[in-house]
Short mmCIF file of all heavy atoms in Angstrom, two decimals:
data_model
loop_
_atom_site.label_atom_id
_atom_site.label_comp_id
_atom_site.label_asym_id
_atom_site.label_seq_id
_atom_site.Cartn_x
_atom_site.Cartn_y
_atom_site.Cartn_z
N ASN A 48 101.61 114.82 88.42
CA ASN A 48 101.46 115.76 87.30
C ASN A 48 100.29 116.70 87.56
O ASN A 48 100.38 117.90 87.27
CB ASN A 48 101.26 115.01 85.99
CG ASN A 48 102.49 114.26 85.55
OD1 ASN A 48 103.57 114.47 86.05
ND2 ASN A 48 102.31 113.36 84.60
N ARG A 49 99.20 116.16 88.07
CA ARG A 49 98.01 116.97 88.34
C ARG A 49 98.31 118.03 89.40
O ARG A 49 97.86 119.16 89.30
CB ARG A 49 96.86 116.06 88.79
CG ARG A 49 95.60 116.77 89.21
CD ARG A 49 94.98 117.50 88.01
NE ARG A 49 93.88 118.31 88.41
CZ ARG A 49 92.61 117.96 88.28
NH1 ARG A 49 92.30 116.81 87.75
NH2 ARG A 49 91.66 118.78 88.68
N ALA A 50 99.11 117.66 90.41
CA ALA A 50 99.46 118.62 91.46
C ALA A 50 100.25 119.78 90.85
O ALA A 50 100.02 120.94 91.21
CB ALA A 50 100.26 117.93 92.55
N GLY A 51 101.15 119.49 89.94
CA GLY A 51 101.92 120.54 89.28
C GLY A 51 101.04 121.44 88.43
O GLY A 51 101.19 122.67 88.42
N ILE A 52 100.10 120.84 87.71
CA ILE A 52 99.18 121.62 86.89
C ILE A 52 98.30 122.50 87.77
O ILE A 52 98.08 123.68 87.47
CB ILE A 52 98.32 120.68 86.01
CG1 ILE A 52 99.20 120.00 84.96
CG2 ILE A 52 97.17 121.42 85.35
CD1 ILE A 52 98.52 118.85 84.24
N ASN A 53 97.79 121.93 88.86
CA ASN A 53 96.95 122.72 89.77
C ASN A 53 97.71 123.91 90.34
O ASN A 53 97.16 125.00 90.46
CB ASN A 53 96.42 121.84 90.91
CG ASN A 53 95.32 120.93 90.47
OD1 ASN A 53 94.78 121.06 89.39
ND2 ASN A 53 94.99 119.97 91.32
N GLU A 54 98.97 123.69 90.70
CA GLU A 54 99.77 124.79 91.24
C GLU A 54 99.95 125.89 90.20
O GLU A 54 99.84 127.08 90.51
CB GLU A 54 101.13 124.26 91.69
CG GLU A 54 102.01 125.31 92.33
CD GLU A 54 103.34 124.73 92.82
OE1 GLU A 54 103.46 123.51 92.91
OE2 GLU A 54 104.23 125.55 93.09
N THR A 55 100.21 125.50 88.96
CA THR A 55 100.37 126.48 87.89
C THR A 55 99.09 127.27 87.68
O THR A 55 99.11 128.50 87.57
CB THR A 55 100.78 125.77 86.58
OG1 THR A 55 102.00 125.06 86.79
CG2 THR A 55 100.97 126.76 85.47
N ILE A 56 97.97 126.59 87.65
CA ILE A 56 96.68 127.25 87.42
C ILE A 56 96.33 128.18 88.59
O ILE A 56 95.84 129.29 88.39
CB ILE A 56 95.57 126.22 87.18
CG1 ILE A 56 95.78 125.55 85.82
CG2 ILE A 56 94.20 126.86 87.26
CD1 ILE A 56 94.87 124.38 85.56
N ASP A 57 96.60 127.73 89.81
CA ASP A 57 96.28 128.54 90.98
C ASP A 57 97.07 129.85 90.99
O ASP A 57 96.63 130.85 91.56
CB ASP A 57 96.54 127.76 92.26
CG ASP A 57 95.53 126.65 92.49
OD1 ASP A 57 94.46 126.69 91.85
OD2 ASP A 57 95.81 125.75 93.30
N ASN A 58 98.25 129.85 90.37
CA ASN A 58 99.09 131.04 90.36
C ASN A 58 98.76 131.99 89.22
O ASN A 58 99.34 133.07 89.12
CB ASN A 58 100.58 130.64 90.28
CG ASN A 58 101.04 129.97 91.56
OD1 ASN A 58 100.53 130.24 92.64
ND2 ASN A 58 102.01 129.08 91.45
N LEU A 59 97.83 131.63 88.33
CA LEU A 59 97.45 132.50 87.22
C LEU A 59 96.30 133.42 87.64
O LEU A 59 95.40 133.00 88.36
CB LEU A 59 96.99 131.67 86.02
CG LEU A 59 98.03 130.79 85.34
CD1 LEU A 59 97.37 129.94 84.25
CD2 LEU A 59 99.16 131.61 84.75
N ASP A 60 96.34 134.66 87.16
CA ASP A 60 95.19 135.53 87.37
C ASP A 60 94.16 135.23 86.28
O ASP A 60 94.40 134.42 85.39
CB ASP A 60 95.58 137.00 87.39
CG ASP A 60 96.14 137.50 86.06
OD1 ASP A 60 96.37 136.67 85.17
OD2 ASP A 60 96.34 138.71 85.92
N SER A 61 93.01 135.86 86.35
CA SER A 61 91.93 135.52 85.42
C SER A 61 92.30 135.81 83.97
O SER A 61 91.94 135.04 83.07
CB SER A 61 90.64 136.27 85.80
OG SER A 61 90.86 137.67 85.77
N VAL A 62 93.04 136.88 83.71
CA VAL A 62 93.43 137.20 82.33
C VAL A 62 94.42 136.17 81.80
O VAL A 62 94.27 135.65 80.69
CB VAL A 62 94.03 138.63 82.26
CG1 VAL A 62 94.55 138.92 80.86
CG2 VAL A 62 93.01 139.65 82.68
N ALA A 63 95.42 135.83 82.60
CA ALA A 63 96.41 134.85 82.18
C ALA A 63 95.77 133.48 81.95
O ALA A 63 96.11 132.77 81.00
CB ALA A 63 97.54 134.74 83.21
N LEU A 64 94.82 133.11 82.81
CA LEU A 64 94.12 131.84 82.65
C LEU A 64 93.30 131.85 81.37
O LEU A 64 93.29 130.86 80.62
CB LEU A 64 93.22 131.56 83.85
CG LEU A 64 92.45 130.24 83.82
CD1 LEU A 64 93.39 129.06 83.74
CD2 LEU A 64 91.57 130.12 85.05
N CYS A 65 92.63 132.95 81.09
CA CYS A 65 91.84 133.08 79.86
C CYS A 65 92.74 132.90 78.63
O CYS A 65 92.40 132.16 77.71
CB CYS A 65 91.15 134.44 79.84
SG CYS A 65 90.21 134.78 78.34
N VAL A 66 93.90 133.57 78.63
CA VAL A 66 94.83 133.46 77.50
C VAL A 66 95.36 132.04 77.40
O VAL A 66 95.46 131.47 76.30
CB VAL A 66 95.98 134.48 77.65
CG1 VAL A 66 97.07 134.22 76.63
CG2 VAL A 66 95.45 135.89 77.54
N GLU A 67 95.69 131.42 78.53
CA GLU A 67 96.22 130.05 78.54
C GLU A 67 95.21 129.06 77.97
O GLU A 67 95.57 128.08 77.32
CB GLU A 67 96.59 129.65 79.97
CG GLU A 67 97.33 128.35 80.09
CD GLU A 67 98.74 128.40 79.53
OE1 GLU A 67 99.36 129.48 79.53
OE2 GLU A 67 99.23 127.34 79.08
N LEU A 68 93.94 129.33 78.17
CA LEU A 68 92.88 128.45 77.66
C LEU A 68 92.52 128.75 76.21
O LEU A 68 91.60 128.16 75.66
CB LEU A 68 91.64 128.54 78.54
CG LEU A 68 91.79 127.98 79.95
CD1 LEU A 68 90.56 128.27 80.78
CD2 LEU A 68 92.08 126.49 79.91
#
Side-chain angles (χ1 to χ4, degrees):
N48 292 346
R49 175 65 187 260
I52 292 168
N53 285 349
E54 183 178 345
T55 302
I56 290 172
D57 289 342
N58 292 331
L59 295 175
D60 64 351
S61 59
V62 175
L64 181 59
C65 177
V66 170
E67 189 69 28
L68 293 173

